[in-house]
Amino acid sequence: SDIAYRAVMTAASDLAAMGAAPRAMVLAISLPAPDTTWLAGFSKGLRAASMDARLPLVGGDTTRGPLVITVTVMGETPAGQSLLRSGAAPGDRLCVSGTLGDAAAGLSLLQGELVASDPADSAFLTARFFRPTARIALGESLRESATAAIDISDGLIADSTHLATRSGVALQIDHRQLPRSTAFCSVVEPSQQLNYLLSGGDDYELLFTLPQSAALPEGCTEIGRVMAGSGVSCDGMPAVKG
């Protein structure tokens, strides 16, 4: 069920990053052999993700072969209102939804690289990896205010660099403002936190830029600013050139 849920939500996150309203999805799956128990769990996760992402399953295909799962999602925006990576301008504020580093910490827990003393912290962080949330409602609400947006799948620095390059600007991140969950702070040592926050992927939060006049949406944090130039910098760290 986690595999199905994650497959849908990671695809749906691209709709959120463009401010698109979800419309439908199709699924193509290749299986080496029928497995009713596995398929029952997969179907349960697929149904839950379909409801949570507002993406009805309208078609697809099943074949025999190595296990391959392909989810294609469809959405729409009013003409000319899609959020792009290319609209950020000097003077804009750099903002992010939710908290960062959770999914990467969850994966490290699963791989035995981190240990959680509280089972609730472990459950929260691993769920953030297995069951990410596509920020679809936020993306739709940002269509009239954000100047640029991208979802964080490869890590904050990597995806910030994509946005900076497409917009032809520089981004400056204040690491002190990066949002962290209570579970993350409990499990990850302070000396390791910045690496997870900047380089950990799979959070599927939205990174976006707002003009000074726009209100910051609830549940989001201002983490930096847009400047003239190129690349991404975090306080005293060397700039990452696009």
Side-chain angles (χ1 to χ4, degrees):
S1 62
D2 288 337
I3 290 171
Y5 196 94
R6 181 177 167 83
V8 173
M9 282 296 177
T10 56
S13 184
D14 285 331
L15 297 181
M18 297 192 73
R23 288 294 177 254
M25 67 175 173
V26 294
L27 167 70
I29 183 168
S30 170
L31 291 167
D35 184 331
T36 55
T37 301
W38 191 92
L39 285 170
F42 185 85
S43 298
K44 182 178 179 181
L46 188 68
R47 183 165 51 251
S50 173
M51 294 178 63
D52 290 347
R54 312 195 320 262
L55 283 168
L57 181 65
V58 298
D61 192 23
T62 57
T63 58
R64 184 183 294 274
L67 178 61
V68 178
I69 300 162
T70 305
V71 176
T72 303
V73 297
M74 292 160 276
E76 63 180 3
T77 64
Q81 291 189 26
S82 297
L83 294 175
L84 304 176
R85 302 177 182 184
S86 55
D92 287 348
R93 296 170 290 157
L94 183 65
C95 309
V96 70
S97 65
T99 55
L100 301 177
D102 294 332
L107 180 59
S108 290
L109 284 169
L110 293 166
Q111 295 175 331
E113 297 168 358
L114 291 176
V115 177
S117 57
D118 186 340
D121 291 337
S122 179
F124 173 82
L125 294 173
T126 54
R128 287 275 281 154
F129 175 76
F130 282 131
R131 295 205 169 207
T133 300
R135 304 299 183 185
I136 292 170
L138 175 62
E140 291 178 273
S141 74
L142 288 172
R143 285 200 300 245
E144 296 183 2
S145 58
T147 53
I150 190 173
D151 65 329
I152 302 177
S153 56
D154 298 328
L156 179 61
I157 287 293
D159 290 311
S160 295
T161 302
H162 296 321
L163 192 150
T165 300
R166 291 294 297 274
S167 293
V169 296
L171 300 179
Q172 185 176 54
I173 297 170
D174 183 347
H175 77 84
R176 295 165 298 183
Q177 301 302 316
L178 297 180
R180 309 154 209 224
S181 68
T182 301
F184 175 86
C185 292
S186 296
V187 171
V188 183
E189 293 292 332
S191 61
Q192 296 180 293
Q193 287 184 10
L194 192 57
N195 182 56
Y196 279 89
L197 294 166
L198 296 177
S199 302
D202 293 313
D203 280 319
Y204 294 97
E205 298 292 349
L206 293 187
L207 178 72
F208 56 96
T209 53
L210 289 176
Q212 292 292 334
S213 59
L216 183 68
E218 184 178 355
C220 298
T221 306
E222 183 177 337
I223 62 169
R225 56 179 178 158
V226 183
M227 302 180 298
S230 63
V232 177
S233 61
C234 181
D235 300 330
M237 294 176 61
V240 178
K241 294 297 183 180

